[in-house]
Each structure stands twice: as structure tokens, then as C-alpha cells.
């Protein structure tokens, strides 16, 4: 089955700096890659996603890049703010199968220092 | 439109006890999932359902059973709880590619 590895496990940045979180996946057939943000005690919330036919996607201060050849994808947050502090999870799935379930990375705890 | 709801929010069980977690969605979604989340780990898929009356095993199904008798409800059962099942359980439903998570159930097994 799919295996998703995520790095780093913790990341501390100064407010205004950029943050980058990286994930690798094992199943070359995976074709959908979402990122979730989870605040303490809350449910995971989808913040951005990318499909395998796209190399990059942006939404205001966040962007995701995908390298299918290397089987890795990254989340980029620019101009970080204290409210960006949370745990971020990457995930991968195959959208061409019946299951269509997500395999998650182990998470990155991002702390933005004011 | 309540989205995805979970009952209960928190529960303490003794080893060997049984319980059922309820997930309900009012969005008419076909796909529903049960995940567990443990410290330092991402969410792991327990069971899933692609429609009313159908269920299937995920990555960590041992010790759990599920049922999807109605489209809007997906039940997760623990027949004989073990301390290793102490976790936060999240249910999700899916529309297109997006999964919508419930608020979670925190379960402590003593």
C-alpha cells in the first residue's frame, strides 16, 4: 500500500518568514495530494490540494508543488503569521480506485514566533 | 446543515467493555471513513464505506467493526476495548475529492 513520509516533524519560524514542509510518497499511481491543517483539539481542515496533472498550485500565502518523477510534494507558506501555528498533514490517494481513501503523513508541528 | 457530527465527544471505557461511536452526515455523501489519530502519527484508516450497505477494511481494522445501514450514518464498534485503542477517532465523509472531518471522539481505555 501507499506510504507517506513527512518532514520535518517540528518547524519553528519567525513571523514573516517562509515555512516549507516536504512529503514523499511510495505509490506512483497516487494522483491526489491534499494538505490539512489541524489546530489543537480541532478537526483537520483542508487548506490546499493538488492533482498529479498539475505541478504547482497557489492560494494566497500558501502553495503546493508536486514532483511526480521524484514522488514528492511540498507545502510552502509565505509571510507566516502566528495564526498559522498548527499541525500540518500531507496525504495521498488514488482517485481511480473504489477506496479513494487518504494515506496521511505523520504531521509537522509549525510554530510561528511573534 | 450540520456537516459531519460525531457522538460521543469523549468516553472512558474499562478494558473489555464495548461501545459504538456514531458518525452522521447530512450532505448526502456516498463515501464515509473512520480514522484514528495517535500522538506523533497521522490519521490511520480503520474502515471505510463507499455507499449504504457496504463496508471495507482499512489499514488498522483489527478490534473494530462497522456498519452503514443508512446512508447518513456510519457506526464504529469496539466489541472488547483494549488500552491500545485509546485514541482520538475521526469520521469523515467525502464529496468529489474533498474529505470533511467530524469533530472527533476522544476515547480512553483503562
Amino acid at each position: 500500500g501507499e506510504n507517506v513520509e513527512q518532514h520535518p516533524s517540528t518547524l519553528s519560524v519567525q513571523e514573516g518568514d517562509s515555512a516549507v514542509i516536504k512529503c514523499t510518497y511510495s505509490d506512483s499511481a497516487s494522483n491526489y495530494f491534499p494538505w490539512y491543517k489541524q489546530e489543537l483539539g480541532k478537526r483537520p481542515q483542508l487548506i490546499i490540494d493538488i492533482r498529479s496533472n498539475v505541478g504547482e498550485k497557489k492560494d494566497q500565502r500558501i502553495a503546493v508543488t508536486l514532483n511526480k518523477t521524484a514522488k514528492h510534494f511540498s507545502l510552502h507558506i509565505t509571510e507566516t503569521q502566528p495564526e498559522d501555528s498548527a499541525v500540518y498533514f500531507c496525504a495521498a490517494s488514488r482517485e481511480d480506485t473504489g477506496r479513494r481513501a487518504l494515506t496521511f503523513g505523520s504531521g509537522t508541528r509549525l510554530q510561528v514566533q511573534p | 446543515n450540520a456537516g459531519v457530527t460525531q457522538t460521543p465527544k469523549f468516553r472512558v471505557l474499562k478494558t473489555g467493555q464495548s461501545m459504538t461511536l456514531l458518525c452522521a452526515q447530512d450532505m448526502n455523501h456516498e463515501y464515509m471513513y473512520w480514522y484514528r489519530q495517535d500522538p506523533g502519527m497521522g490519521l490511520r484508516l480503520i474502515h471505510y464505506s463507499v455507499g449504504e450497505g457496504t463496508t471495507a477494511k482499512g489499514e488498522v481494522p483489527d478490534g473494530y467493526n462497522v456498519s452503514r445501514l443508512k446512508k447518513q450514518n456510519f457506526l464504529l464498534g469496539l466489541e472488547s476495548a483494549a488500552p491500545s485503542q485509546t485514541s482520538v477517532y475521526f469520521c469523515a465523509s467525502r464529496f468529489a475529492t474533498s474529505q470533511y472531518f467530524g469533530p472527533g471522539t476522544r476515547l480512553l481505555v483503562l
Side-chain angles (χ1 to χ4, degrees), chain A residues 14 17 25 32 35 37 39-40 49 53 56 70 72 82 87 102 106 109 112-113:
Chain A
Q14 291 296 124
D17 287 349
Y25 60 98
Y32 175 64
W35 285 87
K37 175 182 180 182
E39 297 176 344
L40 189 62
D49 57 11
N53 58 350
E56 183 176 2
H72 68 70
V87 179
L102 296 170
S106 55
R109 183 174 300 278
V112 180
Q113 307 285 356

Side-chain angles (χ1 to χ4, degrees), chain B residues 12-23:
Chain B
V12 179
L13 287 180
K14 294 182 179 178
T15 297
Q17 287 185 317
S18 63
M19 78 163 294
T20 300
L21 284 68
L22 170 63
C23 176

